[in-house]
Amino acid sequence: MVRICMFISVLLLTCCDRNAHTNKNEILLAYGDNNKINTENVEVDLTGIDGAYLLLSMAKYDFGKIQKSKNPYITIEFEVKNIGKKPLLITRTDVSCGCLSTEYSKKPISPNKKTKLRVSVDFRSLNGVFNKTVCIKSNAENDVVLLRLVGYVSK
């Protein structure tokens, strides 16, 4: 029983922190201005990858300082690109807070094609520093990708 609990714990930690470690099949991220990733110049070693592969235009978005009285809601669009060899299907997104909602295409994304992921943030319930995540689950080889949203909310 102890071994089963330990296995499940390791599995959960691995899934939740999957993109924190780099290996030869993961993307080498180089952040530029505003944490944007130039998807045209990102190096990805697709050796041994026969399926879909999800690439986000940004892995982290920093809102900076937000006045919730002036901006109670903000929607950001992120580009999702399939750089793999088979169609990519986003199966679901999980958000870390009720203040977040997502909208994305339910249609498969063909190899080398793009789609949009919209993330809406309701700042009315947030105060001070925030650090929220969107977990994007798909049929891709990198089946779980995290998107981080950070910033500071004032009245």
Side-chain angles (χ1 to χ4, degrees), residues 1-14:
M1 184 67 173
V2 172
R3 287 184 180 179
I4 293 172
C5 289
M6 289 180 66
F7 174 74
I8 291 172
S9 297
V10 169
L11 182 65
L12 288 173
L13 288 173
T14 302

Side-chain angles (χ1 to χ4, degrees), residues 22-30 37-49 51-56 81-85 112 141-142:
T22 303
N23 66 36
K24 70 176 189 173
N25 291 330
E26 291 184 310
I27 298 170
L28 301 173
L29 300 177
I37 301 167
N38 181 346
T39 58
E40 303 303 320
N41 295 325
V42 173
E43 270 188 52
V44 179
D45 181 1
L46 295 175
T47 305
I49 295 180
Y53 201 95
L54 190 149
L55 178 65
L56 279 177
K81 185 175 182 181
N82 179 9
I83 60 171
K85 298 174 184 172
N112 295 312
E141 299 268 340
N142 58 338

